[in-house]
Amino acid sequence: MYITHIDTACILLEIGDFKILTEPTLDNAGALYYHGFGAFSRKTEDPALPLSALQDIDLVLLSHDQHKDNLDNNGRAFINSFPHVLSTTAAARRLKNVRGLQKWESYAIDTPKVPGLRITATPAQHRPAWIPEFISGMVTGFVIEYEGQPDGVIYLSGDTVYFNGIAEVGKRFKVGTGIFNLGAVQFRYLSGFGQYTMDSRGLIRAAKVLQPNKIIPVHHSGWTHFKEQTAALQKVLQGHQLTRERTIFLSRGERTLI
């Protein structure tokens, strides 16, 4: 299995010859984006790969479509006619070519490239606990299973804070590789220090309950609403025994064997 970090939470995941693209954020840096309910932020990094490098994609996994740091303008154009996109049921109502999954619903993909491939939607809470879900909208994570997985499933957290739903993932699945959306997203002029994604402390809590063999942080640089960026994140994770030994920080644009 290879992973290439392209932008924010956009990664290219290669399982044998099967290619999965997550969270297509493919715009160049510089623009100011509106995310809804008064939330604005600016993109500060370009994608590490050009659109022309994204060939022969088999599947797109999209945790949600309503925020530009998970699906920006070029990303939306990329999936506009793409036939195989899994996301939330809310995204499926808004985007014609998306299949929406309910929480814990599984979707089997019949492909000779990866026998027994199955995607399961997992819970995510993309908001502080005191803010209602409709403000941030519906979000999902994903579990990827296939025959012959040596160390457990692949877990994609999606945009979420730490909450009880993550512990439930650990009860239902043995996680081999966990890919976590971090950044401690905050809009302080709207909701103070309330977080919309995990910070390093949330990741450590998630690692304790999931016990993944490998921890891969993404979604921690490239936008002004990320309040815990890479250097601070690395310092905390390197200071904790569990995450120090298991965490892999990807180099943007580099195809990394996992």
Side-chain angles (χ1 to χ4, degrees):
M1 184 173 72
Y2 289 89
I3 297 180
T4 306
H5 185 205
I6 298 170
D7 191 287
T8 317
C10 180
I11 62 171
L12 177 62
L13 178 62
E14 299 174 75
I15 305 171
D17 294 328
F18 194 88
K19 296 182 179 181
I20 299 173
L21 186 71
T22 70
E23 316 284 30
T25 45
L26 303 170
D27 290 357
N28 287 328
L32 186 68
Y33 293 85
Y34 179 57
H35 306 288
F37 289 93
F40 291 87
S41 65
R42 190 175 300 278
K43 192 174 187 190
T44 60
E45 292 179 351
D46 292 338
L49 295 179
L51 277 167
S52 60
L54 302 179
Q55 301 295 321
D56 304 319
I57 301 298
D58 295 289
L59 176 68
V60 172
L61 297 180
L62 175 65
S63 72
H64 60 298
D65 69 307
Q66 64 267 28
H67 299 146
K68 298 295 188 180
D69 61 328
N70 292 81
L71 186 67
D72 60 16
N73 299 323
N74 282 338
R76 191 173 293 268
F78 181 85
I79 70 167
N80 186 50
S81 58
F82 190 82
H84 304 296
V85 182
L86 299 180
S87 189
T88 64
T89 54
R93 291 193 293 268
R94 291 186 287 258
L95 301 171
K96 61 181 180 181
N97 58 324
V98 170
R99 182 184 181 93
L101 299 180
Q102 300 279 0
K103 183 171 63 176
W104 303 121
E105 181 180 358
S106 294
Y107 180 73
I109 298 173
D110 185 13
T111 171
K113 295 180 179 180
V114 185
L117 181 61
R118 185 171 68 169
I119 312 297
T120 300
T122 59
Q125 182 180 302
H126 188 19
R127 55 187 168 83
W130 66 85
I131 289 181
E133 184 182 55
F134 76 86
I135 297 293
S136 59
M138 188 182 295
V139 179
T140 187
F142 298 99
V143 158
I144 303 172
E145 299 175 272
Y146 54 90
E147 289 181 12
Q149 275 180 315
D151 300 311
V153 303
I154 303 164
Y155 169 59
L156 301 166
S157 74
D159 279 16
T160 185
V161 296
Y162 180 84
F163 75 119
N164 289 338
I166 293 176
E168 184 64 26
V169 173
K171 293 176 182 177
R172 295 178 182 234
F173 298 96
K174 170 64 178 77
V175 177
T177 298
I179 302 170
F180 297 92
N181 292 12
L182 303 175
V185 168
Q186 297 172 32
F187 296 94
R188 292 175 181 172
Y189 54 92
L190 293 174
S191 48
F193 289 90
Q195 293 184 5
Y196 292 79
T197 59
M198 276 186 277
D199 61 5
S200 52
R201 291 173 297 177
L203 174 57
I204 290 169
R205 293 182 70 187
K208 286 179 178 178
V209 299
L210 296 175
Q211 290 292 318
N213 298 317
K214 295 174 182 176
I215 297 166
I216 300 177
V218 296
H219 196 273
H220 50 79
S221 68
W223 293 80
T224 56
H225 60 272
F226 292 168
K227 301 307 180 187
E228 184 184 49
Q229 299 209 12
T230 307
L233 175 66
Q234 287 176 325
K235 182 177 181 180
V236 175
L237 298 185
Q238 288 169 359
H240 193 282
Q241 182 178 358
L242 175 61
T243 49
R244 179 174 63 247
E245 296 175 351
R246 305 187 190 193
T247 301
I248 300 169
F249 277 91
L250 301 173
S251 297
R252 297 177 76 252
E254 289 189 12
R255 187 171 181 254
T256 302
L257 177 65
I258 300 298

